[in-house]
Amino acid sequence: SKIEAGRTELNSVSFDLIYLLSILEQMLQLQAENKGLKLIFEIAGNVPQYVQTDECKLRQVLLNLLGNAIKFTQKGRVTLRVRLGEEESCGCRGNPPGVALEGQSTFPHSSVPISGCLLPITFEIEDTGPGIGAEEVHRLFEPFSQTETGRKAMQGTGLGLAISRKFVQMMGGDIRVRTILGQGSVFAFEIWVRSGNSINSQTS
């Protein structure tokens, strides 16, 4: 309800992105191994170590998407790919492309001075799970809505993907889905970050 009312804000901090991804991999590795799954993190060499964005919201989005992939995949693997995009947006060029929440501007907020350039980072979560039927894809991000697989699992409230999408939109991007029934799914999103530094990083 706070998100829908526009009362949720970004808390942009400088943090160690590579360390965050390492911690997430450690957290989820046992869960994947218990199901006989391979959990693979592929991080491109050009991904910056220190970035500025909302660390907590990014962690929540990744945990939700990776957690779902592991939960609904019965065999095979779950892969996270992280890469840096080729575009950049500087203050002189205006805001990066993105989808704004109702009543809010795209990230970064127009009332906040833009210093330096913004870089796009793309995250892809691919699984070898059951996939999603074409007739259900459009309902994935509706609050309290679940797919047939989710209903059979009898877990969750159907809010995770809806909240994750809102958070990604606040960070200047959106979540896209590619899925083939019986073969697996790919959830991908892009966010815009500023370069960070180790001095102000809150992750150590």
Side-chain angles (χ1 to χ4, degrees):
S1 61
K2 287 179 64 178
I3 294 173
E4 293 295 341
R7 292 166 53 195
T8 299
E9 299 179 354
L10 285 175
N11 179 28
S12 186
V13 297
S14 182
F15 65 96
D16 188 332
L17 175 60
I18 305 303
Y19 179 77
L20 171 62
L21 294 172
S22 175
I23 292 298
L24 291 178
E25 185 176 15
Q26 294 176 39
M27 288 174 58
L28 296 169
Q29 191 68 246
L30 182 59
Q31 183 180 345
E33 289 177 355
N34 286 341
K35 295 190 65 176
L37 304 174
K38 289 184 179 180
L39 179 63
I40 303 169
F41 276 43
E42 298 177 354
I43 306 171
N46 62 353
V47 173
Q49 180 174 0
Y50 296 101
V51 301
Q52 291 184 58
T53 188
D54 194 315
E55 180 183 10
C56 291
K57 288 183 175 60
L58 177 59
R59 181 194 294 114
Q60 185 169 339
V61 171
L62 289 172
L63 277 174
N64 180 259
L65 294 178
L66 287 165
N68 281 349
I70 294 172
K71 178 168 61 177
F72 297 119
T73 300
Q74 301 305 318
K75 61 180 180 179
R77 65 187 181 279
V78 172
T79 304
L80 170 66
R81 300 184 185 92
V82 186
R83 65 179 185 273
L84 181 66
E86 296 180 357
E87 300 179 43
E88 67 178 29
S89 177
C90 296
C92 58
R93 300 181 187 177
N95 290 350
V99 181
L101 288 172
E102 293 79 0
Q104 294 183 336
S105 61
T106 53
F107 173 74
H109 299 296
S110 56
S111 60
V112 178
I114 301 174
S115 60
C117 292
L118 290 152
L119 301 172
I121 297 182
T122 298
F123 300 81
E124 288 185 353
I125 295 91
E126 180 178 8
D127 65 59
T128 55
I132 302 164
E135 71 282 358
E136 294 189 300
V137 171
H138 72 282
R139 294 193 290 108
L140 277 175
F141 300 101
E142 294 179 2
F144 304 108
S145 178
Q146 290 182 307
T147 64
E148 181 65 24
T149 302
R151 289 190 292 271
K152 288 180 178 179
M154 301 182 65
Q155 297 182 43
T157 60
L159 275 175
L161 285 177
I163 292 174
S164 293
R165 187 174 212 177
K166 290 292 187 181
F167 285 170
V168 170
Q169 288 174 342
M170 291 180 71
M171 291 184 279
D174 203 357
I175 299 181
R176 306 176 299 279
V177 183
R178 304 194 308 272
T179 182
I180 300 177
L181 196 61
Q183 295 186 29
S185 305
V186 178
F187 285 77
F189 67 92
E190 185 175 80
I191 63 171
W192 289 79
V193 303
R194 290 188 180 91
S195 295
N197 59 71
S198 59
I199 295 176
N200 296 323
S201 174
Q202 295 186 2
T203 303
S204 59

